[in-house]
Amino acid sequence: MERKERRDFVVAGRASTAGGEFDRVSIHGDGHVDGDLACTELKCHGKSHITGNVKASDVKVYGSTRIDGRVESEELQVRGHAEVGGHLSCRQMEAEGVLHAGGPVTAEEITLKGQLNVKEDVEAESFSAKGIFKIDGLLNAGQIVVQLYGDCQAKEIGGEKIEVRKKGFSWFKPFSHHLEVDTIEGDEIHLENTRAKVVRGNRVTIGPGCEIGLVEYHHHFHRDHGAKVKEAKKL
Amino acid sequence: MDEKLISKKELLRLTGISYGQLYRWKRKNLIPEEWFIRKSTYTGQETFFPKQKILDRIDKIKRMKDDLSLDEIAERLSPNLAEVMLPVEEIIKRNIVSKEVWDLFADEWNGVKTLHFEQILRLYVIARTLKTGDVSLEEAHRVWSMLEAHASRVREQKGELWVIRKMGIAISLLTDSVQDLYIEADAKVVVRLSLAQCAEELKIRMMDGGV
Protein backbone atom coordinates (compact mmCIF):
# COMPACT_ATOMS: atom_id res chain seq x y z
CA MET A 1 0.00 0.00 0.00
CA GLU A 2 1.42 3.38 -0.90
CA ARG A 3 1.86 5.80 1.87
CA LYS A 4 -0.59 8.64 1.44
CA GLU A 5 -0.89 11.81 3.41
CA ARG A 6 -2.69 10.22 6.27
CA ARG A 7 -2.67 10.76 9.95
CA ASP A 8 -1.38 8.37 12.53
CA PHE A 9 -3.65 7.09 15.23
CA VAL A 10 -2.02 6.43 18.54
CA VAL A 11 -3.77 5.25 21.64
CA ALA A 12 -1.94 5.34 24.90
CA GLY A 13 -4.20 4.69 27.77
CA ARG A 14 -7.80 4.36 26.84
CA ALA A 15 -9.55 5.66 23.76
CA SER A 16 -12.07 4.80 21.14
CA THR A 17 -12.64 5.92 17.57
CA ALA A 18 -15.04 5.27 14.75
CA GLY A 19 -12.33 3.91 12.47
CA GLY A 20 -11.33 5.32 9.10
CA GLU A 21 -8.11 5.68 7.15
CA PHE A 22 -4.79 6.15 8.87
CA ASP A 23 -1.13 5.75 8.21
CA ARG A 24 0.10 4.06 11.36
CA VAL A 25 -2.16 2.80 14.06
CA SER A 26 -0.67 1.93 17.37
CA ILE A 27 -2.74 0.87 20.31
CA HIS A 28 -1.20 0.67 23.76
CA GLY A 29 -3.48 0.20 26.67
CA ASP A 30 -7.11 -0.19 25.82
CA GLY A 31 -8.32 0.78 22.36
CA HIS A 32 -11.69 0.42 20.79
CA VAL A 33 -12.37 0.96 17.10
CA ASP A 34 -16.03 0.98 16.25
CA GLY A 35 -15.96 0.43 12.50
CA ASP A 36 -13.62 -0.38 9.62
CA LEU A 37 -9.95 0.42 9.71
CA ALA A 38 -7.62 0.98 6.77
CA CYS A 39 -3.99 1.66 7.52
CA THR A 40 -0.42 0.91 6.57
CA GLU A 41 0.57 -0.54 9.87
CA LEU A 42 -1.50 -1.75 12.78
CA LYS A 43 0.26 -2.54 16.02
CA CYS A 44 -1.75 -3.72 18.97
CA HIS A 45 -0.17 -3.80 22.40
CA GLY A 46 -2.41 -4.17 25.35
CA LYS A 47 -6.03 -4.81 24.67
CA SER A 48 -8.03 -3.79 21.67
CA HIS A 49 -11.29 -4.47 19.95
CA ILE A 50 -12.10 -3.56 16.35
CA THR A 51 -15.71 -4.14 15.36
CA GLY A 52 -15.27 -3.74 11.60
CA ASN A 53 -12.91 -4.95 8.88
CA VAL A 54 -9.19 -4.29 8.79
CA LYS A 55 -7.19 -3.59 5.67
CA ALA A 56 -3.49 -3.01 6.20
CA SER A 57 -0.03 -3.79 4.91
CA ASP A 58 1.31 -4.98 8.19
CA VAL A 59 -0.56 -6.15 11.26
CA LYS A 60 1.19 -7.03 14.49
CA VAL A 61 -0.61 -8.22 17.58
CA TYR A 62 1.40 -8.30 20.79
CA GLY A 63 -1.38 -8.05 23.29
CA SER A 64 -4.90 -9.26 22.99
CA THR A 65 -6.91 -8.15 20.01
CA ARG A 66 -10.32 -8.97 18.71
CA ILE A 67 -11.35 -8.05 15.19
CA ASP A 68 -14.96 -8.89 14.42
CA GLY A 69 -14.77 -8.47 10.65
CA ARG A 70 -12.40 -9.47 7.86
CA VAL A 71 -8.67 -8.94 7.93
CA GLU A 72 -6.70 -8.31 4.77
CA SER A 73 -3.01 -7.64 5.13
CA GLU A 74 0.28 -8.32 3.44
CA GLU A 75 1.76 -9.51 6.66
CA LEU A 76 0.27 -10.67 9.91
CA GLN A 77 2.20 -11.45 13.02
CA VAL A 78 0.56 -12.67 16.18
CA ARG A 79 2.69 -12.77 19.27
CA GLY A 80 -0.14 -12.42 21.73
CA HIS A 81 -3.74 -13.40 21.36
CA ALA A 82 -5.79 -12.54 18.31
CA GLU A 83 -9.31 -13.31 17.30
CA VAL A 84 -10.60 -12.68 13.81
CA GLY A 85 -14.30 -13.08 13.10
CA GLY A 86 -14.36 -13.11 9.30
CA HIS A 87 -12.15 -14.07 6.40
CA LEU A 88 -8.46 -13.73 7.16
CA SER A 89 -6.29 -13.26 4.10
CA CYS A 90 -2.64 -12.30 3.92
CA ARG A 91 0.55 -13.10 2.13
CA GLN A 92 2.64 -14.00 5.09
CA MET A 93 1.29 -15.13 8.38
CA GLU A 94 3.20 -15.93 11.50
CA ALA A 95 1.43 -17.11 14.60
CA GLU A 96 3.63 -17.42 17.63
CA GLY A 97 0.85 -16.78 20.07
CA VAL A 98 -2.76 -17.81 19.80
CA LEU A 99 -4.84 -17.08 16.73
CA HIS A 100 -8.53 -17.87 16.41
CA ALA A 101 -10.24 -17.41 13.06
CA GLY A 102 -13.99 -17.69 12.67
CA GLY A 103 -13.87 -17.55 8.87
CA PRO A 104 -11.61 -19.11 6.27
CA VAL A 105 -7.88 -18.38 6.20
CA THR A 106 -5.99 -17.80 2.96
CA ALA A 107 -2.30 -17.02 2.85
CA GLU A 108 0.75 -17.72 0.78
CA GLU A 109 2.93 -18.73 3.67
CA ILE A 110 1.79 -19.77 7.10
CA THR A 111 4.29 -20.33 9.86
CA LEU A 112 2.83 -21.58 13.08
CA LYS A 113 4.77 -21.68 16.30
CA GLY A 114 1.90 -21.20 18.68
CA GLN A 115 -1.70 -22.18 18.43
CA LEU A 116 -4.09 -21.83 15.52
CA ASN A 117 -7.82 -22.50 15.62
CA VAL A 118 -9.85 -22.11 12.45
CA LYS A 119 -13.56 -22.75 12.06
CA GLU A 120 -13.39 -23.11 8.28
CA ASP A 121 -10.86 -23.97 5.56
CA VAL A 122 -7.20 -22.99 5.48
CA GLU A 123 -5.52 -22.45 2.12
CA ALA A 124 -1.85 -21.69 1.64
CA GLU A 125 1.05 -22.42 -0.66
CA SER A 126 3.14 -23.45 2.29
CA PHE A 127 1.99 -24.39 5.75
CA SER A 128 4.58 -25.19 8.33
CA ALA A 129 3.65 -25.88 11.92
CA LYS A 130 5.63 -26.38 15.05
CA GLY A 131 2.68 -25.79 17.27
CA ILE A 132 -0.89 -26.81 17.81
CA PHE A 133 -3.71 -26.42 15.33
CA LYS A 134 -7.35 -27.28 15.13
CA ILE A 135 -8.89 -26.76 11.72
CA ASP A 136 -12.58 -27.59 11.42
CA GLY A 137 -12.47 -27.58 7.62
CA LEU A 138 -9.95 -28.52 4.95
CA LEU A 139 -6.26 -27.72 5.21
CA ASN A 140 -5.19 -27.26 1.60
CA ALA A 141 -1.58 -26.33 0.86
CA GLY A 142 1.18 -27.07 -1.60
CA GLN A 143 3.69 -27.97 1.08
CA ILE A 144 2.53 -29.06 4.48
CA VAL A 145 5.17 -29.72 7.10
CA VAL A 146 3.96 -30.46 10.60
CA GLN A 147 6.10 -31.17 13.61
CA LEU A 148 3.91 -32.39 16.40
CA TYR A 149 4.55 -30.21 19.41
CA GLY A 150 1.07 -31.00 20.65
CA ASP A 151 -2.13 -32.68 19.54
CA CYS A 152 -3.33 -31.35 16.21
CA GLN A 153 -6.59 -31.76 14.41
CA ALA A 154 -8.05 -31.14 10.97
CA LYS A 155 -11.10 -32.42 9.20
CA GLU A 156 -9.30 -33.01 5.93
CA ILE A 157 -5.82 -32.39 4.59
CA GLY A 158 -5.03 -32.13 0.91
CA GLY A 159 -2.06 -30.92 -1.08
CA GLU A 160 1.03 -31.80 -3.03
CA LYS A 161 3.56 -32.70 -0.35
CA ILE A 162 2.43 -33.59 3.14
CA GLU A 163 4.84 -34.39 5.92
CA VAL A 164 3.92 -35.03 9.54
CA ARG A 165 6.69 -35.82 11.99
CA LYS A 166 6.77 -36.33 15.69
CA LYS A 167 8.94 -34.02 17.65
CA GLY A 168 12.43 -35.35 18.23
CA PHE A 169 12.87 -38.87 19.46
CA SER A 170 11.90 -40.32 22.79
CA TRP A 171 12.22 -43.90 24.03
CA PHE A 172 9.74 -43.24 26.76
CA LYS A 173 6.91 -41.48 25.02
CA PRO A 174 6.88 -42.68 21.46
CA PHE A 175 3.15 -42.01 21.11
CA SER A 176 3.03 -38.66 22.77
CA HIS A 177 1.40 -36.20 20.39
CA HIS A 178 -0.91 -37.00 17.54
CA LEU A 179 -2.49 -35.55 14.48
CA GLU A 180 -6.12 -36.51 14.16
CA VAL A 181 -7.71 -36.21 10.72
CA ASP A 182 -10.44 -37.85 8.65
CA THR A 183 -8.84 -37.89 5.22
CA ILE A 184 -5.39 -37.06 3.90
CA GLU A 185 -4.85 -36.76 0.16
CA GLY A 186 -1.67 -35.70 -1.58
CA ASP A 187 0.99 -36.64 -4.09
CA GLU A 188 3.72 -37.36 -1.61
CA ILE A 189 2.80 -38.25 1.93
CA HIS A 190 4.95 -39.05 4.92
CA LEU A 191 3.16 -39.56 8.21
CA GLU A 192 4.15 -40.22 11.78
CA ASN A 193 1.91 -40.27 14.85
CA THR A 194 -1.16 -39.74 12.74
CA ARG A 195 -4.64 -41.14 13.13
CA ALA A 196 -6.65 -41.05 9.92
CA LYS A 197 -9.53 -42.93 8.39
CA VAL A 198 -8.29 -42.68 4.81
CA VAL A 199 -4.93 -41.75 3.29
CA ARG A 200 -4.68 -41.46 -0.48
CA GLY A 201 -1.65 -40.55 -2.55
CA ASN A 202 0.95 -41.42 -5.14
CA ARG A 203 3.81 -42.14 -2.77
CA VAL A 204 2.74 -42.91 0.76
CA THR A 205 4.92 -43.62 3.77
CA ILE A 206 3.17 -44.54 6.98
CA GLY A 207 5.66 -44.15 9.82
CA PRO A 208 5.67 -45.11 13.47
CA GLY A 209 2.82 -44.18 15.73
CA CYS A 210 0.20 -44.13 12.97
CA GLU A 211 -3.24 -45.69 12.99
CA ILE A 212 -4.75 -45.62 9.53
CA GLY A 213 -7.97 -47.25 8.34
CA LEU A 214 -7.38 -47.36 4.62
CA VAL A 215 -4.40 -46.46 2.47
CA GLU A 216 -4.86 -46.05 -1.28
CA TYR A 217 -1.69 -45.46 -3.28
CA HIS A 218 -0.59 -45.24 -6.88
CA HIS A 219 3.17 -45.85 -7.05
CA HIS A 220 4.74 -46.56 -3.76
CA PHE A 221 3.72 -47.58 -0.27
CA HIS A 222 5.89 -48.12 2.75
CA ARG A 223 4.71 -49.06 6.20
CA ASP A 224 6.77 -48.91 9.34
CA HIS A 225 6.41 -51.89 11.71
CA GLY A 226 5.32 -49.48 14.40
CA ALA A 227 2.31 -48.47 12.32
CA LYS A 228 -1.18 -49.88 12.22
CA VAL A 229 -2.81 -50.00 8.80
CA LYS A 230 -6.07 -51.89 8.44
CA GLU A 231 -6.12 -52.04 4.69
CA ALA A 232 -3.85 -50.91 1.84
CA LYS A 233 -4.85 -50.86 -1.81
CA LYS A 234 -2.81 -50.12 -4.91
CA LEU A 235 -4.90 -48.19 -7.42
CA MET B 1 -31.03 -31.07 -9.14
CA ASP B 2 -30.60 -34.38 -10.89
CA GLU B 3 -27.16 -33.76 -12.25
CA LYS B 4 -24.86 -36.67 -12.79
CA LEU B 5 -22.14 -36.79 -10.17
CA ILE B 6 -18.65 -38.20 -10.33
CA SER B 7 -16.54 -39.18 -7.33
CA LYS B 8 -13.15 -37.57 -6.78
CA LYS B 9 -11.40 -40.89 -7.19
CA GLU B 10 -13.14 -41.62 -10.50
CA LEU B 11 -12.41 -38.09 -11.69
CA LEU B 12 -8.68 -38.42 -11.07
CA ARG B 13 -8.63 -41.81 -12.78
CA LEU B 14 -10.47 -40.49 -15.85
CA THR B 15 -8.48 -37.29 -16.25
CA GLY B 16 -5.09 -38.52 -15.08
CA ILE B 17 -4.51 -35.56 -12.79
CA SER B 18 -3.06 -35.98 -9.31
CA TYR B 19 -4.46 -35.05 -5.92
CA GLY B 20 -1.88 -32.30 -5.71
CA GLN B 21 -3.03 -30.75 -8.98
CA LEU B 22 -6.66 -30.89 -7.99
CA TYR B 23 -5.96 -29.19 -4.67
CA ARG B 24 -3.72 -26.61 -6.32
CA TRP B 25 -6.45 -25.75 -8.80
CA LYS B 26 -8.97 -25.51 -6.01
CA ARG B 27 -6.63 -23.12 -4.18
CA LYS B 28 -6.26 -20.99 -7.28
CA ASN B 29 -10.06 -20.85 -7.67
CA LEU B 30 -9.98 -22.63 -11.00
CA ILE B 31 -12.68 -24.92 -9.71
CA PRO B 32 -15.63 -23.31 -7.94
CA GLU B 33 -16.16 -24.22 -4.31
CA GLU B 34 -19.80 -25.19 -4.98
CA TRP B 35 -18.67 -28.01 -7.24
CA PHE B 36 -17.14 -29.85 -4.30
CA ILE B 37 -20.10 -31.81 -3.03
CA ARG B 38 -19.53 -33.77 0.15
CA LYS B 39 -21.56 -36.89 0.65
CA SER B 40 -21.44 -39.63 3.21
CA THR B 41 -20.71 -43.04 1.81
CA TYR B 42 -20.06 -46.31 3.59
CA THR B 43 -16.33 -45.51 3.75
CA GLY B 44 -16.99 -42.12 5.31
CA GLN B 45 -17.20 -38.71 3.68
CA GLU B 46 -16.42 -38.56 -0.01
CA THR B 47 -16.28 -35.67 -2.42
CA PHE B 48 -18.29 -35.66 -5.62
CA PHE B 49 -18.46 -33.24 -8.54
CA PRO B 50 -21.06 -32.40 -11.16
CA LYS B 51 -19.71 -34.71 -13.83
CA GLN B 52 -20.06 -32.81 -17.08
CA LYS B 53 -19.06 -29.45 -15.62
CA ILE B 54 -15.92 -30.68 -13.92
CA LEU B 55 -14.77 -32.75 -16.91
CA ASP B 56 -15.22 -29.75 -19.21
CA ARG B 57 -13.42 -27.50 -16.76
CA ILE B 58 -10.45 -29.82 -16.31
CA ASP B 59 -10.19 -30.26 -20.05
CA LYS B 60 -10.11 -26.49 -20.41
CA ILE B 61 -7.48 -26.02 -17.71
CA LYS B 62 -5.28 -28.71 -19.21
CA ARG B 63 -5.43 -27.07 -22.61
CA MET B 64 -4.64 -23.61 -21.25
CA LYS B 65 -2.00 -24.52 -18.74
CA ASP B 66 0.88 -24.86 -21.22
CA ASP B 67 0.56 -21.26 -22.31
CA LEU B 68 -0.83 -19.53 -19.27
CA SER B 69 -0.06 -19.33 -15.57
CA LEU B 70 -2.67 -20.59 -13.12
CA ASP B 71 -3.52 -17.03 -12.12
CA GLU B 72 -4.09 -16.11 -15.75
CA ILE B 73 -6.31 -19.14 -16.23
CA ALA B 74 -8.32 -18.17 -13.17
CA GLU B 75 -8.74 -14.72 -14.66
CA ARG B 76 -9.98 -16.22 -17.92
CA LEU B 77 -12.35 -18.61 -16.24
CA SER B 78 -14.08 -16.08 -14.08
CA PRO B 79 -13.30 -12.59 -15.23
CA ASN B 80 -14.92 -9.91 -13.19
CA LEU B 81 -17.84 -9.40 -15.49
CA ALA B 82 -19.95 -7.93 -12.73
CA GLU B 83 -18.30 -4.60 -13.53
CA VAL B 84 -18.87 -4.88 -17.23
CA MET B 85 -21.26 -2.58 -19.02
CA LEU B 86 -22.32 -3.18 -22.59
CA PRO B 87 -24.23 -1.00 -25.02
CA VAL B 88 -27.45 -2.54 -26.25
CA GLU B 89 -26.29 -2.73 -29.89
CA GLU B 90 -23.26 -4.75 -28.75
CA ILE B 91 -25.47 -7.16 -26.83
CA ILE B 92 -27.59 -7.75 -29.90
CA LYS B 93 -24.66 -7.82 -32.30
CA ARG B 94 -22.90 -10.46 -30.26
CA ASN B 95 -26.12 -12.39 -30.07
CA ILE B 96 -26.10 -12.47 -26.28
CA VAL B 97 -29.79 -11.66 -26.48
CA SER B 98 -31.62 -11.60 -29.81
CA LYS B 99 -33.02 -8.43 -31.33
CA GLU B 100 -36.55 -9.83 -31.14
CA VAL B 101 -36.34 -10.26 -27.40
CA TRP B 102 -34.84 -6.83 -26.94
CA ASP B 103 -37.59 -5.22 -29.03
CA LEU B 104 -40.22 -6.90 -26.88
CA PHE B 105 -38.73 -5.42 -23.74
CA ALA B 106 -37.21 -2.20 -25.00
CA ASP B 107 -40.10 -0.17 -23.55
CA GLU B 108 -39.40 -1.49 -20.07
CA TRP B 109 -35.88 -0.07 -20.02
CA ASN B 110 -36.92 3.55 -20.46
CA GLY B 111 -34.49 4.33 -23.22
CA VAL B 112 -31.46 2.88 -21.45
CA LYS B 113 -28.62 2.45 -23.93
CA THR B 114 -26.02 0.64 -21.84
CA LEU B 115 -26.65 -2.28 -19.51
CA HIS B 116 -24.88 -3.56 -16.39
CA PHE B 117 -24.09 -7.21 -16.01
CA GLU B 118 -27.03 -7.66 -13.67
CA GLN B 119 -29.37 -6.09 -16.23
CA ILE B 120 -27.98 -8.20 -19.04
CA LEU B 121 -28.47 -11.23 -16.83
CA ARG B 122 -32.07 -10.22 -16.21
CA LEU B 123 -32.64 -9.90 -19.93
CA TYR B 124 -30.93 -13.20 -20.56
CA VAL B 125 -33.13 -14.94 -17.99
CA ILE B 126 -36.21 -13.52 -19.70
CA ALA B 127 -34.95 -14.70 -23.07
CA ARG B 128 -34.44 -18.15 -21.63
CA THR B 129 -37.93 -18.09 -20.13
CA LEU B 130 -39.51 -17.14 -23.44
CA LYS B 131 -37.49 -19.74 -25.28
CA THR B 132 -39.31 -22.57 -23.55
CA GLY B 133 -42.39 -21.58 -25.53
CA ASP B 134 -44.59 -22.30 -22.54
CA VAL B 135 -44.68 -18.75 -21.29
CA SER B 136 -46.78 -16.05 -22.88
CA LEU B 137 -45.44 -12.62 -23.57
CA GLU B 138 -47.62 -11.12 -20.90
CA GLU B 139 -46.34 -13.60 -18.36
CA ALA B 140 -42.78 -12.86 -19.38
CA HIS B 141 -43.42 -9.20 -18.68
CA ARG B 142 -44.62 -10.09 -15.24
CA VAL B 143 -41.49 -12.16 -14.65
CA TRP B 144 -39.48 -9.16 -15.75
CA SER B 145 -41.20 -6.91 -13.22
CA MET B 146 -40.56 -9.40 -10.50
CA LEU B 147 -36.88 -9.70 -11.37
CA GLU B 148 -36.61 -5.94 -11.42
CA ALA B 149 -38.25 -5.64 -8.03
CA HIS B 150 -35.70 -8.09 -6.68
CA ALA B 151 -32.70 -6.86 -8.61
CA SER B 152 -30.37 -7.30 -5.66
CA ARG B 153 -31.15 -11.02 -5.60
CA VAL B 154 -30.36 -11.24 -9.28
CA ARG B 155 -27.09 -9.44 -8.68
CA GLU B 156 -26.08 -12.04 -6.15
CA GLN B 157 -26.89 -14.72 -8.69
CA LYS B 158 -28.41 -16.89 -6.04
CA GLY B 159 -31.54 -18.92 -6.12
CA GLU B 160 -33.90 -20.03 -8.83
CA LEU B 161 -36.68 -18.67 -10.93
CA TRP B 162 -39.80 -20.80 -11.13
CA VAL B 163 -42.91 -20.29 -13.17
CA ILE B 164 -45.81 -22.50 -12.13
CA ARG B 165 -49.09 -22.68 -13.97
CA LYS B 166 -52.45 -23.98 -12.89
CA MET B 167 -55.69 -23.67 -14.84
CA GLY B 168 -54.21 -21.06 -17.13
CA ILE B 169 -52.91 -18.84 -14.36
CA ALA B 170 -49.16 -18.50 -13.99
CA ILE B 171 -47.29 -17.50 -10.90
CA SER B 172 -43.60 -16.76 -10.87
CA LEU B 173 -41.37 -17.32 -7.87
CA LEU B 174 -37.86 -16.31 -7.03
CA THR B 175 -36.56 -18.67 -4.40
CA ASP B 176 -33.48 -18.34 -2.31
CA SER B 177 -32.28 -21.90 -2.26
CA VAL B 178 -34.39 -24.84 -3.18
CA GLN B 179 -33.90 -28.34 -2.03
CA ASP B 180 -37.39 -29.55 -2.80
CA LEU B 181 -40.61 -27.85 -3.64
CA TYR B 182 -43.83 -29.83 -3.64
CA ILE B 183 -46.64 -28.64 -5.83
CA GLU B 184 -50.22 -29.77 -6.00
CA ALA B 185 -51.03 -32.39 -8.55
CA ASP B 186 -52.61 -30.46 -11.42
CA ALA B 187 -50.19 -27.56 -11.32
CA LYS B 188 -47.32 -27.56 -13.75
CA VAL B 189 -43.81 -26.23 -13.46
CA VAL B 190 -43.29 -24.33 -16.70
CA VAL B 191 -39.91 -22.80 -16.03
CA ARG B 192 -37.19 -23.61 -13.58
CA LEU B 193 -33.93 -21.73 -13.98
CA SER B 194 -30.97 -21.39 -11.66
CA LEU B 195 -29.69 -17.83 -11.66
CA ALA B 196 -26.14 -18.96 -11.02
CA GLN B 197 -26.25 -21.25 -14.00
CA CYS B 198 -27.70 -18.54 -16.22
CA ALA B 199 -24.94 -16.19 -15.08
CA GLU B 200 -22.34 -18.81 -15.93
CA GLU B 201 -23.81 -19.34 -19.41
CA LEU B 202 -24.00 -15.64 -19.92
CA LYS B 203 -20.36 -15.19 -18.93
CA ILE B 204 -19.31 -17.78 -21.46
CA ARG B 205 -21.37 -16.06 -24.16
CA MET B 206 -19.89 -12.71 -23.28
CA MET B 207 -16.36 -14.04 -23.27
CA ASP B 208 -16.74 -15.80 -26.60
CA GLY B 209 -17.76 -12.42 -27.87
CA GLY B 210 -14.31 -11.30 -26.78
CA VAL B 211 -14.95 -9.16 -23.73
Side-chain angles (χ1 to χ4, degrees):
Chain A
M1 207 185 284
E2 59 182 297
R3 193 160 283 201
K4 289 183 208 144
E5 292 277 314
R6 292 192 295 197
R7 288 176 303 131
D8 290 351
F9 174 59
V10 181
V11 177
R14 191 171 184 165
S16 53
T17 174
E21 282 188 30
F22 300 97
D23 183 21
R24 272 189 296 230
V25 176
S26 169
I27 301 174
H28 299 256
D30 191 345
H32 185 96
V33 178
D34 197 13
D36 294 348
L37 193 64
C39 56
T40 339
E41 190 186 277
L42 169 65
K43 268 191 197 174
C44 296
H45 306 256
K47 198 179 144 207
S48 48
H49 181 192
I50 298 163
T51 62
N53 305 314
V54 170
K55 201 173 171 184
S57 306
D58 193 5
V59 177
K60 288 190 171 80
V61 175
Y62 297 105
S64 162
T65 296
R66 198 169 108 210
I67 300 165
D68 295 344
R70 291 188 306 276
V71 172
E72 198 188 319
S73 175
E74 280 285 296
E75 276 169 55
L76 171 74
Q77 219 181 67
V78 178
R79 293 250 162 92
H81 186 280
E83 236 182 278
V84 175
H87 186 171
L88 168 56
S89 79
C90 52
R91 207 168 44 77
Q92 232 165 9
M93 185 175 126
E94 229 182 277
E96 292 183 10
V98 182
L99 173 61
H100 289 269
V105 174
T106 36
E108 228 151 82
E109 223 182 297
I110 297 178
T111 319
L112 172 69
K113 286 174 191 158
Q115 188 181 340
L116 175 70
N117 290 343
V118 183
K119 290 263 171 261
E120 292 186 35
D121 295 354
V122 175
E123 291 193 345
E125 286 314 303
S126 116
F127 178 92
S128 104
K130 283 184 181 175
I132 307 172
F133 61 84
K134 181 172 185 286
I135 297 164
D136 294 351
L138 162 73
L139 167 59
N140 174 3
Q143 307 273 328
I144 297 174
V145 181
V146 176
Q147 275 204 39
L148 292 165
Y149 277 69
D151 284 330
C152 294
Q153 248 184 73
K155 178 109 193 17
E156 270 181 87
I157 295 179
E160 280 112 84
K161 200 170 169 215
I162 300 163
E163 202 182 298
V164 179
R165 294 185 192 270
K166 61 187 176 195
K167 187 191 123 200
F169 181 76
S170 158
W171 287 101
F172 308 107
K173 285 174 76 186
F175 301 109
S176 45
H177 297 305
H178 276 88
L179 166 68
E180 190 107 35
V181 55
D182 272 3
T183 321
I184 299 180
E185 292 175 336
D187 294 341
E188 228 168 285
I189 302 176
H190 176 106
L191 302 176
E192 291 170 13
N193 282 23
T194 300
R195 296 193 192 109
K197 287 180 192 145
V198 186
V199 175
R200 301 192 181 98
N202 293 339
R203 303 175 62 82
V204 180
T205 307
I206 305 291
C210 287
E211 285 171 44
I212 313 289
L214 169 68
V215 176
E216 291 181 340
Y217 64 99
H218 276 280
H219 306 306
H220 174 86
F221 171 56
H222 174 80
R223 204 199 86 179
D224 190 89
H225 11 260
K228 284 183 205 157
V229 176
K230 261 197 205 133
E231 198 189 344
K233 264 199 282 191
K234 185 170 168 34
L235 294 176
Chain B
M1 268 181 254
D2 355 329
E3 249 172 328
K4 262 211 165 142
L5 296 179
I6 184 172
S7 73
K8 194 194 271 171
K9 203 193 285 182
E10 183 68 9
L11 176 73
L12 299 192
R13 199 183 57 80
L14 268 177
T15 56
I17 62 170
S18 68
Y19 285 109
Q21 267 170 316
L22 185 71
Y23 281 104
R24 196 179 323 131
W25 293 350
K26 177 180 163 57
R27 262 198 324 274
K28 293 286 182 188
N29 294 325
L30 301 187
I31 303 169
E33 180 68 44
E34 318 78 271
W35 292 6
F36 289 75
I37 302 162
R38 301 225 153 66
K39 283 192 163 194
S40 320
T41 59
Y42 66 98
T43 49
Q45 282 255 321
E46 278 231 51
T47 306
F48 292 83
F49 299 89
K51 189 171 178 182
Q52 204 47 53
K53 279 190 201 157
I54 188 82
L55 287 176
D56 288 351
R57 179 58 59 96
I58 286 182
D59 192 49
K60 234 189 224 169
I61 299 170
K62 274 182 165 171
R63 269 188 285 120
M64 288 199 265
K65 97 178 145 69
D66 293 337
D67 311 321
L68 299 169
S69 74
L70 290 182
D71 289 329
E72 282 169 327
I73 297 175
E75 188 67 25
R76 289 266 173 114
L77 289 174
S78 58
N80 198 0
L81 290 175
E83 307 290 324
V84 166
M85 287 186 76
L86 273 185
V88 173
E89 310 100 73
E90 265 306 285
I91 295 172
I92 294 166
K93 206 174 88 196
R94 292 197 201 160
N95 206 15
I96 294 167
V97 173
S98 70
K99 177 140 187 4
E100 288 76 28
V101 173
W102 170 253
D103 286 344
L104 289 172
F105 284 88
D107 299 345
E108 306 271 9
W109 298 89
N110 277 331
V112 177
K113 291 274 183 289
T114 320
L115 301 184
H116 288 291
F117 182 77
E118 175 265 318
Q119 292 171 313
I120 303 171
L121 176 61
R122 215 192 303 162
L123 200 58
Y124 180 73
V125 170
I126 295 289
R128 282 282 310 264
T129 311
L130 278 169
K131 219 172 145 190
T132 60
D134 293 328
V135 173
S136 76
L137 203 50
E138 192 199 327
E139 284 160 2
H141 275 279
R142 289 220 305 274
V143 172
W144 188 89
S145 316
M146 186 191 60
L147 291 179
E148 192 192 28
H150 301 282
S152 63
R153 296 259 127 224
V154 179
R155 201 171 312 124
E156 284 172 20
Q157 300 165 18
K158 272 186 190 154
E160 293 184 357
L161 168 72
W162 290 58
V163 180
I164 299 164
R165 191 199 310 278
K166 189 193 172 186
M167 296 170 77
I169 296 168
I171 288 179
S172 44
L173 307 168
L174 196 59
T175 64
D176 204 0
S177 61
V178 201
Q179 290 290 330
D180 296 294
L181 201 62
Y182 302 98
I183 303 163
E184 58 177 296
D186 41 1
K188 190 182 165 218
V189 177
V190 192
V191 174
R192 180 180 176 182
L193 283 174
S194 137
L195 290 184
Q197 207 178 331
C198 284
E200 186 112 329
E201 285 170 21
L202 180 58
K203 279 183 185 171
I204 290 168
R205 275 181 180 230
M206 286 170 72
M207 274 201 295
D208 288 347
V211 169

